[in-house]
Amino acid sequence: MIDVDPAATAPHPVRTLVMGVLNVTPDSFSDGGRWFDPAVAVDHGRDLIAQGADIIDVGGESTRPGCERTPVEEEVRRVLPVVQALSVEDTALSVDTMRSQVAEKVIDAGATIVNDVSGGLADPDILRVCAGADVDLVLMHWRGQSASMQTLTDYDDVVADVITELSRQVDAALAVGVARERIIVDPGIGFAKTAEHNWQLLRAADAFQDAFADLRVLWGVSRKGFLGQLLAGSRGPRPAMGRDAATAAITSYCALHGAWAVRTHEVRDNRDACETVAALRG
């Protein structure tokens, strides 16, 4: 398990954990290019730790809607030096990747979580890599690559369908030897979902906790487009950097509904929200 408070490895920790986003990409929707230089990225990772991040999630390939894939060699070049540098810190390291080749290299470099937004569907070998390395694995609900995912938004019942499809992804991981206690599930807010789908899924947070009662649930809503639509003004949707207060509000909501962790770009306010909810829950 990841090296945090032992209570945090349970499906319902005393406090919801904060996973700080560290994008080492030139094209991520929120902060693309700000941390692209490895030295700058490492400094930012240390700053996120100082702000209270329990986990740092390093990503070298943007998954914003409509983007094309990054070559695997370039993804490795982006993330590996950052993981190596941050592995000496006393904070769990996650890597956001869909590729088994990348997962192998970053695990060797010190990552203890693989955050696969495709949930093992883009590259099934990633499940075997994680099973063999005995690391935590995030399985997100996913229907297709970023270039086409927003054409895949047909659901009979978005909550029931996402739970069913995500359960299949969990079963596939178990079938190749990933230990159940190593699996974390993510409903995939913003991935092959409309804004209304995202709200329906969030309103059904308890249904996810019930459906995956013995697993950890991670929510990633930080600065996403549906929040920009919610906060739109006369000039259109609120820009990504102006969505942090809304993100913190949803963090509080997810924490109140038993989330294991939230994934966020801005750490301090979201950590404060999680601490406050933990106090309220006693």
Side-chain angles (χ1 to χ4, degrees):
M1 291 294 179
I2 59 178
D3 187 18
V4 293
D5 187 321
T9 63
H12 308 288
V14 173
R15 173 181 60 78
T16 294
L17 304 182
V18 176
M19 176 184 280
V21 178
L22 181 54
N23 289 321
V24 287
T25 59
D27 56 348
S28 291
F29 81 95
S30 171
D31 53 9
R34 293 188 70 189
W35 324 116
F36 190 49
D37 178 87
V40 176
V42 171
D43 285 345
H44 183 56
R46 289 174 177 148
D47 183 50
L48 293 176
I49 293 168
Q51 291 179 38
D54 300 289
I55 306 161
I56 299 297
D57 189 44
V58 183
E61 180 179 26
S62 175
T63 52
R64 62 181 172 79
C67 71
E68 298 296 329
R69 299 218 60 190
T70 300
V72 62
E73 297 83 2
E74 174 63 11
E75 186 182 351
V76 171
R77 188 193 68 78
R78 293 174 183 177
V79 301
L80 194 57
V82 178
V83 172
Q84 289 170 331
L86 292 176
S87 65
V88 300
E89 304 293 334
D90 189 24
T91 300
L93 279 182
S94 168
V95 173
D96 180 355
T97 185
M98 294 182 276
R99 290 173 163 135
S100 57
Q101 307 101 303
V102 178
E104 285 182 315
K105 292 182 182 298
V106 297
I107 290 168
D108 287 344
T112 55
I113 307 172
V114 172
N115 180 12
D116 181 0
V117 299
S118 83
L121 296 175
D123 179 0
D125 282 343
I126 202 168
L127 303 178
R128 297 181 180 86
V129 168
C130 292
D134 198 27
V135 295
D136 284 351
L137 172 64
V138 178
L139 299 174
M140 194 191 79
H141 175 262
W142 186 84
R143 283 186 161 185
Q145 296 290 351
S146 297
S148 62
M149 67 181 179
Q150 291 311 109
T151 68
L152 305 172
T153 58
D154 290 335
Y155 298 90
D156 292 327
D157 178 324
V158 68
V159 174
D161 291 352
V162 168
I163 288 173
T164 297
E165 293 170 25
L166 191 50
S167 295
R168 292 192 195 113
Q169 292 166 247
V170 171
D171 289 343
L174 294 171
V176 298
V178 179
R180 193 171 187 89
E181 63 270 19
R182 287 295 197 183
I183 296 175
I184 301 156
V185 292
D186 179 342
I189 295 294
F191 288 79
K193 319 268 187 332
T194 65
E196 180 53 31
H197 289 151
N198 294 329
W199 290 115
Q200 289 179 44
L201 291 167
L202 284 163
R203 293 181 194 119
D206 286 340
F208 279 93
Q209 295 295 155
D210 292 343
F212 301 102
D214 63 335
L215 300 178
R216 291 166 283 169
V217 180
L218 168 70
W219 292 88
V221 306
S222 184
R223 298 178 178 172
K224 289 193 174 179
F226 77 109
L227 297 179
Q229 293 178 38
L230 173 72
L231 303 172
S234 59
R235 297 184 178 181
R238 178 81 61 82
M241 297 295 286
R243 303 169 190 168
D244 285 341
T247 298
I250 296 181
T251 286
S252 297
Y253 172 85
C254 291
L256 280 166
H257 288 268
W260 170 74
V262 292
R263 182 179 182 274
T264 182
H265 297 83
E266 195 286 321
V267 166
R268 182 172 285 112
D269 287 348
N270 287 275
R271 171 68 184 254
D272 288 352
C274 292
E275 295 280 4
T276 303
V277 170
L280 286 169
R281 296 179 72 184

